[in-house]
Amino acid sequence: AAGMRALAQAADGAGTLKARTLALWVAQNRLAIVQLAPQALARGPSQGDAVQAGVTFRWTVAIGATPNPAFRRVDVSVAEASAPDYALARLTGYVASAAP
């Protein structure tokens, strides 16, 4: 019984690690999109869905101010679409504001 329990926990841990890795890739992709198109900063917060390795994730991007007005803080949170309240990955980056 103990061996089966250990095996089940290892399998569950591997599944969780895979989901967190895929979610981090989604977060990195979203941050890269904002970095490549800083005019998106003016639109403010956004959210959407992304598919990575056949798994659907829900991402949320929040834009915040920094002490330096030339930069914006970008917070990306990613969760599985089936459990959108449980973030699997969070990523913060800083992006130069679009020129006026």
Side-chain angles (χ1 to χ4, degrees):
M4 288 303 291
R5 182 171 181 223
L7 183 61
Q9 285 178 336
D12 184 50
T16 301
L17 181 59
K18 176 184 175 188
R20 287 186 182 277
T21 300
L22 295 174
L24 182 59
W25 290 348
V26 170
Q28 290 171 336
N29 288 344
R30 295 313 310 171
L31 183 57
I33 288 169
V34 173
Q35 289 171 330
L36 291 172
Q39 64 273 17
L41 295 172
R43 288 185 290 220
S46 59
Q47 65 181 13
D49 293 332
V51 177
Q52 191 72 256
V55 180
T56 303
F57 292 95
R58 168 62 48 107
W59 55 264
T60 304
V61 175
I63 308 297
T66 66
N68 183 340
F71 293 92
R72 296 285 179 260
R73 177 181 170 146
V74 180
D75 294 306
V76 183
S77 178
V78 180
E80 282 191 61
S82 60
D85 294 330
Y86 179 69
L88 293 170
R90 294 182 195 275
L91 187 63
T92 298
Y94 296 90
V95 179
S97 298

